[in-house]
Amino acid sequence: MEVFRIQGGTRLVGQVRITGAKNSSLKLMATALLAPGLTTIRSVPNILDVAIMAELLRRLGCAVNYNPETEVAQINVPETIEHRADYDLVRRMRASIAVLGPLVARTGSADVALPGGDAIGSRGLDMHTAGLERMGATVTNEHGYLVVHAPTNGLVGTQVYLDFPSVGATETLLMAAVLANGQTVIDNAAREPEIVDICQMLQKMGANISGVGSSLITIEGVAKLNPVDYDTVPDRIVAGTWAVAAAMTQGDIEITNANPDHISMALDKLVAAGAQVSSSNAGFRVQMDRRPKAIDIVTLPYPGFATDLQPQFIAMNAISEGQAMVTENLFEARFRFVQELSRLGAEVRTDGHHALVRGRANLSGAPVEATDIRAGAGLVLAGLVADGETVVHAIEHIDRGYVGFEKDLTRLGAKITREKSQDFS
Ligand code: EPU
């Protein structure tokens, strides 16, 4: 177990480069299953989840080679693949569910362990399964596994209306539909840039998809897809985290290899808080020369404000002037991290899915524990502006979303070290 030890009080100044999006790369790796042959995926971040997805694909019969230096994943998919995703891998990474659609499409069946709840909430699969059933599949829950069988002649295209624009359900249905018989229409589909990324890779593979990036996606099934060479979209949540870091530390950061359009709502909020945001050749730049003003946020599916940036904005509000209301509409347990933030002296009151944050002039360094990736990022940002020393525990969560976080922070001027935890165990 490792911790980050942070001495607060330095401005962050300089340039930071963003790699590919975790939440896209993992799905692109699963997408490779749809085409026998050698798929190459670029800008795949060197995180534990990539190793877990690689292992999952190997157990399905693929040969997977990931090079952390070049960030290239090569996946050689055989003509015949297995159809079981084991509990020991799925429980470690919920994104394993991304193999569900490809497995049903390629093999006609899937046995995927149920991922269960996690630290940010219950996270159901009802929309994934209801959509597959509408396409003719039978779905049962057997001994902790979701067992899915397509009809003998394959899934049948249909009209699916999602109750909510779920990222995961949209992905499952997209990947199931590309090889189905006939036309599938996904209405109220998720529009996240990571969904667009998967659609673009599928199109390159030969899939027939229209309405990409809209909430009405139409897919005409094709008989076969081909392996491709594809580059992952940059990680908008990591880019947004650096943008908040610049604003909170009254710093000046150029964020390169990033698309500001993918986080325009968050950047508008930073401008409302007093920051200057400008575009640069390679991305964008965030500068701040004063204490931020507290700002209200409401999380919503894309293009609304991203839930994955909510903890970072609560951390910023905690040291801002004034008070703000933060409303979380996606994950009910995402406010758990507020208790940890309170250890630094933050004044936050939660009631259901609302959090009222009263900004304070100072936070006070203390030991805290990361409960999930984004909560961990929020706590590190808070530690950067707190007086004295903050030790963030359970940083394995942070490592799942931020490659070499402390190295980038150090280059930008932060005082942060990674150390072995001295915890009693
Ligand atoms: N939901 C259902 N039933 C379903 C599907 C979803 O009730 O069949 C509910 C979930 O319980 C949740 C909400 O709908 O309350 C949103 O779920 P969604 O399917 O949109 O999210 P996801 O696919 O589980 C992905 C990201 C999350 C990100 C969300 C929202 C991956 C691996 N995860 O999750 O990322 O917060 O979309 O944008 O892509 C993170 O990176 O820290 C992270 C949690």
Side-chain angles (χ1 to χ4, degrees), residues 29 54 85-86 93 117 169 212 220 304 312 327 377:
M29 290 173 76
D86 293 317
M93 183 184 67
V212 174
E220 298 286 346
Q312 299 87 318
T327 304

PDB file of all heavy atoms in Angstrom, residues 29 54 85-86 93 117 169 212 220 304 312 327 377:
ATOM      1  N   MET A  29     -10.578  -1.955 -26.449  1.00  0.00           N
ATOM      2  CA  MET A  29      -9.961  -3.283 -26.349  1.00  0.00           C
ATOM      3  C   MET A  29     -11.042  -4.362 -26.467  1.00  0.00           C
ATOM      4  O   MET A  29     -10.861  -5.367 -27.166  1.00  0.00           O
ATOM      5  CB  MET A  29      -9.195  -3.423 -25.026  1.00  0.00           C
ATOM      6  CG  MET A  29      -7.929  -2.571 -24.975  1.00  0.00           C
ATOM      7  SD  MET A  29      -7.131  -2.593 -23.345  1.00  0.00           S
ATOM      8  CE  MET A  29      -6.356  -4.228 -23.366  1.00  0.00           C
ATOM      9  N   ALA A  54      -6.656  -6.807 -20.474  1.00  0.00           N
ATOM     10  CA  ALA A  54      -5.782  -7.660 -21.298  1.00  0.00           C
ATOM     11  C   ALA A  54      -5.913  -9.112 -20.843  1.00  0.00           C
ATOM     12  O   ALA A  54      -6.029 -10.028 -21.667  1.00  0.00           O
ATOM     13  CB  ALA A  54      -4.337  -7.189 -21.193  1.00  0.00           C
ATOM     14  N   ALA A  85     -16.651 -14.460 -18.873  1.00  0.00           N
ATOM     15  CA  ALA A  85     -15.847 -13.453 -18.160  1.00  0.00           C
ATOM     16  C   ALA A  85     -15.925 -13.771 -16.673  1.00  0.00           C
ATOM     17  O   ALA A  85     -16.984 -13.643 -16.056  1.00  0.00           O
ATOM     18  CB  ALA A  85     -16.376 -12.053 -18.444  1.00  0.00           C
ATOM     19  N   ASP A  86     -14.783 -14.204 -16.108  1.00  0.00           N
ATOM     20  CA  ASP A  86     -14.772 -14.741 -14.746  1.00  0.00           C
ATOM     21  C   ASP A  86     -14.908 -13.666 -13.668  1.00  0.00           C
ATOM     22  O   ASP A  86     -14.458 -12.535 -13.830  1.00  0.00           O
ATOM     23  CB  ASP A  86     -13.452 -15.499 -14.503  1.00  0.00           C
ATOM     24  CG  ASP A  86     -13.362 -16.749 -15.366  1.00  0.00           C
ATOM     25  OD1 ASP A  86     -14.383 -17.462 -15.465  1.00  0.00           O
ATOM     26  OD2 ASP A  86     -12.286 -16.980 -15.948  1.00  0.00           O
ATOM     27  N   MET A  93     -12.832  -4.966 -11.843  1.00  0.00           N
ATOM     28  CA  MET A  93     -13.026  -3.869 -12.788  1.00  0.00           C
ATOM     29  C   MET A  93     -14.389  -3.967 -13.444  1.00  0.00           C
ATOM     30  O   MET A  93     -14.651  -4.839 -14.266  1.00  0.00           O
ATOM     31  CB  MET A  93     -11.943  -3.910 -13.866  1.00  0.00           C
ATOM     32  CG  MET A  93     -12.077  -2.747 -14.804  1.00  0.00           C
ATOM     33  SD  MET A  93     -10.917  -2.829 -16.144  1.00  0.00           S
ATOM     34  CE  MET A  93     -11.491  -4.252 -17.029  1.00  0.00           C
ATOM     35  N   GLY A 117     -22.117  -3.918  -6.745  1.00  0.00           N
ATOM     36  CA  GLY A 117     -22.021  -2.475  -6.485  1.00  0.00           C
ATOM     37  C   GLY A 117     -20.574  -2.080  -6.286  1.00  0.00           C
ATOM     38  O   GLY A 117     -19.685  -2.917  -6.262  1.00  0.00           O
ATOM     39  N   ALA A 169     -24.824   0.870 -21.127  1.00  0.00           N
ATOM     40  CA  ALA A 169     -25.874   0.196 -21.897  1.00  0.00           C
ATOM     41  C   ALA A 169     -25.773   0.571 -23.379  1.00  0.00           C
ATOM     42  O   ALA A 169     -25.946  -0.280 -24.258  1.00  0.00           O
ATOM     43  CB  ALA A 169     -27.249   0.551 -21.334  1.00  0.00           C
ATOM     44  N   VAL A 212     -23.986   9.173 -35.081  1.00  0.00           N
ATOM     45  CA  VAL A 212     -22.909   9.132 -34.084  1.00  0.00           C
ATOM     46  C   VAL A 212     -22.816  10.485 -33.357  1.00  0.00           C
ATOM     47  O   VAL A 212     -22.780  11.536 -33.996  1.00  0.00           O
ATOM     48  CB  VAL A 212     -21.562   8.810 -34.787  1.00  0.00           C
ATOM     49  CG1 VAL A 212     -20.397   8.900 -33.803  1.00  0.00           C
ATOM     50  CG2 VAL A 212     -21.629   7.436 -35.424  1.00  0.00           C
ATOM     51  N   GLU A 220     -26.992  -0.506 -38.964  1.00  0.00           N
ATOM     52  CA  GLU A 220     -27.382  -1.573 -39.906  1.00  0.00           C
ATOM     53  C   GLU A 220     -26.371  -2.691 -39.706  1.00  0.00           C
ATOM     54  O   GLU A 220     -25.169  -2.486 -39.924  1.00  0.00           O
ATOM     55  CB  GLU A 220     -27.292  -1.089 -41.365  1.00  0.00           C
ATOM     56  CG  GLU A 220     -28.202   0.049 -41.737  1.00  0.00           C
ATOM     57  CD  GLU A 220     -29.674  -0.372 -41.866  1.00  0.00           C
ATOM     58  OE1 GLU A 220     -29.946  -1.594 -41.934  1.00  0.00           O
ATOM     59  OE2 GLU A 220     -30.524   0.538 -41.868  1.00  0.00           O
ATOM     60  N   GLY A 304     -23.893  17.461 -20.449  1.00  0.00           N
ATOM     61  CA  GLY A 304     -24.007  18.095 -19.142  1.00  0.00           C
ATOM     62  C   GLY A 304     -22.697  17.995 -18.365  1.00  0.00           C
ATOM     63  O   GLY A 304     -21.720  17.425 -18.848  1.00  0.00           O
ATOM     64  N   GLN A 312     -13.691  16.975  -7.772  1.00  0.00           N
ATOM     65  CA  GLN A 312     -12.664  18.003  -7.956  1.00  0.00           C
ATOM     66  C   GLN A 312     -13.286  19.395  -7.779  1.00  0.00           C
ATOM     67  O   GLN A 312     -12.673  20.296  -7.199  1.00  0.00           O
ATOM     68  CB  GLN A 312     -12.031  17.894  -9.359  1.00  0.00           C
ATOM     69  CG  GLN A 312     -11.331  16.566  -9.665  1.00  0.00           C
ATOM     70  CD  GLN A 312     -12.251  15.490 -10.221  1.00  0.00           C
ATOM     71  OE1 GLN A 312     -13.364  15.311  -9.761  1.00  0.00           O
ATOM     72  NE2 GLN A 312     -11.777  14.765 -11.222  1.00  0.00           N
ATOM     73  N   THR A 327     -25.160  19.336  -7.102  1.00  0.00           N
ATOM     74  CA  THR A 327     -26.204  18.310  -7.210  1.00  0.00           C
ATOM     75  C   THR A 327     -25.657  17.139  -8.025  1.00  0.00           C
ATOM     76  O   THR A 327     -25.176  17.326  -9.143  1.00  0.00           O
ATOM     77  CB  THR A 327     -27.452  18.908  -7.905  1.00  0.00           C
ATOM     78  OG1 THR A 327     -27.853  20.055  -7.153  1.00  0.00           O
ATOM     79  CG2 THR A 327     -28.597  17.908  -7.944  1.00  0.00           C
ATOM     80  N   ALA A 377      -8.641  12.055  -6.642  1.00  0.00           N
ATOM     81  CA  ALA A 377      -8.111  13.239  -7.331  1.00  0.00           C
ATOM     82  C   ALA A 377      -8.538  14.504  -6.587  1.00  0.00           C
ATOM     83  O   ALA A 377      -7.742  15.427  -6.380  1.00  0.00           O
ATOM     84  CB  ALA A 377      -8.620  13.270  -8.773  1.00  0.00           C
TER      85      ALA A 377
END
